[in-house]
Amino acid sequence: MDAADAVTTPSRSGTTLSPFDAPKAPDVLAGLLRERILNGELAEGVALPAERDLVKQTQMSRATVREALRILEVQNLIRVKAGRAGGAFVQRPTTTSMASTVSMLIRGRRIKLVDLMETREALEPFCAELAARNRDDEDLAELERANDTISDTEASLEQFLQANLDWHVGVAVASHNELLIGLMTALSQAIYAGTKDAAFVDTEVRAVTEKAHRAITAAIRDRDARAASRRMRWHVHSYATAIAESNDREAVVVGE
């Protein structure tokens, strides 16, 4: 047999592949629609094509389209309205949806109260600084409304804690920074849940809280960013220290 009759066996690559998960069709469709919502191609308030039209356009099954829409609804990127004028309408992410996501993280990961307080110590002084720079008259009115309830000696524990939450979130709102507003809303709600203890929130704690809040509010009103930051840092650190020393509060897990 001469060389012309020889059969040449092609060489094979030694490359190996590992198993991988291929994205599911509903995730793919949800991802495409999500990107169009987030980049502004689909404006807030606009109605998505009807379900049957999405099926026709994408050549996907009705079940796939429904699951994709459900994913977007859970992510607060669309709202679904029933009825003749209903459908799936685009909505952009808000500080409320952000706060909800952070709150679920806090509860789902069983974050300890002491960790929440440390996070608040890192964020709130800067919130107060920005509030002093950016606040408007409406922001000040909200802070004063909360302060009035905090100073009311007849207010119940729940009313005091809610007013305290409103004030801290109000400082973040006065910063006019949407990320800080979302984070502080979630943190304050979790701290509210973790400090709902009449044995800790006594008359002295209420008085100290009122005094600190009034001083910080005054600095924000005067647009004194440095004083607002410094007073907030002292306030949240003192509160965190008091909680840590009260009945082993550092062990408290929010949501239990």
Side-chain angles (χ1 to χ4, degrees):
M1 182 174 65
D2 58 23
D5 295 327
V7 177
T8 302
T9 302
S11 61
R12 296 183 183 276
S13 170
T15 300
T16 59
L17 297 175
S18 300
F20 62 92
D21 293 326
K24 297 178 181 179
D27 294 327
V28 173
L29 178 55
L32 291 172
L33 291 172
R34 183 188 306 113
E35 183 58 30
R36 293 187 180 188
I37 292 171
L38 295 178
N39 68 20
E41 183 178 343
L42 292 172
E44 184 166 18
V46 71
L48 293 181
E51 186 180 287
R52 62 179 178 277
D53 294 328
L54 285 174
V55 169
K56 183 176 180 180
Q57 292 172 16
T58 63
Q59 297 297 298
M60 293 179 173
S61 69
R62 186 177 293 272
T64 294
V65 169
R66 286 180 176 175
E67 178 63 14
L69 294 178
R70 189 193 67 81
I71 291 171
L72 294 175
E73 185 177 17
V74 169
Q75 295 173 343
N76 291 310
L77 292 177
I78 63 171
R79 66 184 188 281
V80 177
K81 294 173 59 178
R84 190 170 183 177
F89 296 86
V90 172
Q91 60 183 16
R92 302 295 295 277
T94 64
T95 53
T96 300
S97 59
M98 175 187 173
S100 177
T101 299
V102 175
S103 295
M104 285 191 289
L105 172 67
I106 290 171
R107 295 194 65 184
R109 299 296 299 176
R110 300 172 61 79
I111 303 297
K112 292 182 179 179
L113 182 60
V114 67
D115 295 331
L116 298 181
M117 299 303 297
E118 288 172 351
T119 304
R120 193 167 82 164
E121 284 191 70
L123 293 178
E124 284 213 81
F126 189 57
C127 284
E129 180 180 333
L130 285 180
R133 295 176 183 171
N134 302 328
R135 61 82 177 158
D136 56 31
D137 290 343
E138 185 177 343
D139 296 325
L140 289 175
E142 289 296 327
L143 294 178
E144 290 297 1
R145 271 193 285 272
N147 283 337
D148 289 343
T149 301
I150 288 170
S151 65
D152 183 1
T153 57
E154 300 299 319
S156 66
L157 174 63
E158 288 75 14
Q159 289 172 323
F160 170 83
L161 289 175
Q162 183 61 53
N164 188 52
L165 184 158
D166 292 342
W167 185 87
H168 282 276
V169 172
V171 172
V173 170
S175 77
H176 293 266
N177 180 302
E178 290 192 77
L179 286 176
L180 288 175
I181 294 170
L183 288 171
M184 285 309 307
T185 298
L187 285 174
S188 296
Q189 290 172 344
I191 291 169
Y192 172 105
T195 58
K196 196 173 181 180
D197 186 344
F200 172 72
V201 185
D202 56 17
T203 302
E204 182 179 355
V205 168
R206 292 192 184 205
V208 170
T209 299
E210 179 195 356
K211 182 178 179 179
H213 284 198
R214 296 284 188 189
I216 297 165
T217 301
I220 292 173
R221 181 186 299 105
D222 294 341
R223 299 194 184 279
D224 189 338
R226 182 175 298 180
S229 176
R230 183 180 67 252
R231 292 171 187 177
M232 181 67 87
R233 182 174 295 107
W234 178 87
H235 171 52
V236 295
H237 179 73
S238 299
Y239 195 70
T241 300
I243 287 177
E245 293 174 351
S246 175
N247 299 323
D248 196 27
R249 278 283 173 175
E250 68 274 15
V252 173
V253 176
V254 174
E256 285 192 329

